[in-house]
Amino acid sequence: MRVRGQDDAVRLGAVELGGELGERATLVQFSSAFCAPCRATRRVLGEVAALVPGVAHVEIDAEAHLDLVRALEILKTPTVLVLDATGRVVRRAAGQPRKADVIAALGEVV
């Protein structure tokens, strides 16, 4: 998993995500239909969102949202963005994340 730091200029809202932001943080997952690691990532992010109050998980089909993929420079699936309560991207990671890494990244936000 490759982790990058903050993208201070990037903010996402319900319109771009197709779902509401979490009260405290949002885990945004870019996936593709035939991506096996995407299924495992969906499970991990769903578990973390259920575990941490105020955290939402939104999955976006990368192929159906190419403009957003290009704008955010998503190069592979799965890619996970961690957003704060205002929709600011505070972390991003490419590849299948470990549950502990997701929780640690959320620790910086909540």
Side-chain angles (χ1 to χ4, degrees):
M1 180 169 86
R2 181 179 59 85
V3 177
R4 283 184 22 190
Q6 295 183 340
D7 287 329
D8 289 326
V10 179
R11 287 191 192 275
L12 301 173
V15 172
E16 294 88 3
L17 300 177
E20 293 299 316
L21 291 171
E23 291 177 22
R24 299 170 69 195
T26 306
L27 300 170
V28 180
Q29 174 184 348
F30 285 87
S31 299
S32 52
F34 300 104
C35 166
C38 294
R39 290 189 289 277
T41 298
R42 179 183 311 119
R43 181 182 45 78
V44 168
L45 297 183
E47 289 173 3
V48 172
L51 182 70
V52 182
V55 174
H57 171 221
V58 176
E59 186 171 4
I60 296 175
D61 180 352
E63 295 173 37
H65 296 88
L66 289 177
D67 288 342
L68 185 58
V69 165
R70 289 182 186 115
L72 295 172
E73 299 177 3
I74 305 296
L75 302 177
K76 65 183 271 188
T77 58
T79 291
V80 177
L81 306 179
V82 179
L83 311 181
D84 66 11
T86 67
R88 182 174 56 98
V89 177
V90 293
R91 282 272 176 233
R92 70 186 284 150
Q96 183 178 335
R98 295 179 317 134
K99 190 174 185 178
D101 293 335
V102 175
I103 292 170
L106 281 174
E108 299 176 24
V109 179
V110 294

